Amino acid sequence: MEWMKKITDFVGKYRYVILVAVIGLILMMIPTRSGTGSETKQTEPTVTARQDVAQELTQILSQLQGAGKVKVMLTVREGETTEYQIDEDITNGENGSVRQDTVIVTDGSRNQQGLIRQVNPPQYLGAIVLCEGADSAAVRLSIIEAVSKVTGLGTDKISVLKMK
């Protein structure tokens, strides 16, 4: 019984402090939208990336039996995008304001850059392939399958034409 009296005296003396602490704990348990997983997108120049893919496809397809000389052209809907990690602070006041900051990382040389969350490949619209061996249905099918695998394009978006 003596410890019960000590507890009631303690609670009576520090009741406001305990009340504030309990209210704080309850407020921290209420789920809110957390923005730590949010990202921003910035488009990077993709002309060189598209040219690199087209050149590599040209080299590979020209080694295909019966293809002969090959040229590849790719069109891009959206270039390669880089998503940076951001921190989001949400204030539940009258305005309901949101503050977003990009996470900055500093390396050993004190160079600062945004923390990259994800790099998305370009989205292609279509492809045109010119080759000497386009007369052969087997060669055309092989080229369409190869270009489809590399670019993610459907077969209806790839044209294989005979080179003059």
Side-chain angles (χ1 to χ4, degrees):
M1 282 302 197
E2 185 176 313
W3 58 273
M4 228 15 201
K5 180 155 175 52
K6 286 183 180 180
I7 290 176
T8 55
D9 288 344
F10 180 80
V11 170
K13 187 175 181 181
Y14 295 105
R15 67 178 169 251
Y16 295 114
V17 174
I18 294 171
L19 180 66
V20 169
V22 168
I23 290 173
L25 286 172
I26 291 171
L27 288 175
M28 287 189 334
M29 288 187 211
I30 296 173
T32 60
R33 285 187 355 177
S34 175
T36 57
S38 298
E39 67 273 348
T40 58
K41 289 187 176 184
Q42 294 183 358
T43 303
E44 307 240 344
T46 60
V47 174
T48 57
R50 183 180 68 212
Q51 289 173 347
D52 290 344
V53 171
Q55 287 174 353
E56 198 167 350
L57 265 173
T58 300
Q59 290 174 353
I60 290 172
L61 294 176
S62 64
Q63 295 176 8
L64 187 67
Q65 184 175 353
K69 193 173 175 185
V70 177
K71 288 188 178 182
V72 178
M73 181 181 133
L74 298 172
T75 56
V76 178
R77 173 181 305 156
E78 180 179 315
E80 183 178 83
T81 57
T82 302
E83 297 179 7
Y84 293 95
Q85 185 70 34
I86 64 167
D87 282 333
E88 191 173 87
D89 294 328
I90 300 172
T91 307
N92 292 334
E94 293 176 14
N95 300 338
S97 63
V98 177
R99 192 184 95 218
Q100 295 180 341
D101 294 323
T102 302
V103 177
I104 303 295
V105 181
T106 305
D107 64 7
S109 304
R110 295 188 179 178
N111 295 327
Q112 293 183 344
Q113 65 181 23
L115 179 62
I116 296 175
R117 182 171 186 258
Q118 183 176 351
V119 177
N120 298 321
Q123 294 179 357
Y124 295 101
L125 281 175
I128 297 175
V129 180
L130 296 176
C131 73
E132 293 174 339
D135 291 339
S136 168
V139 171
R140 281 196 312 269
L141 180 62
S142 297
I143 289 174
I144 288 172
E145 286 178 351
V147 173
S148 177
K149 298 284 188 216
V150 171
T151 61
L153 289 170
T155 57
D156 61 324
K157 306 281 186 192
I158 303 167
S159 294
V160 179
L161 305 169
K162 176 133 175 84
M163 184 183 287
K164 64 175 183 174

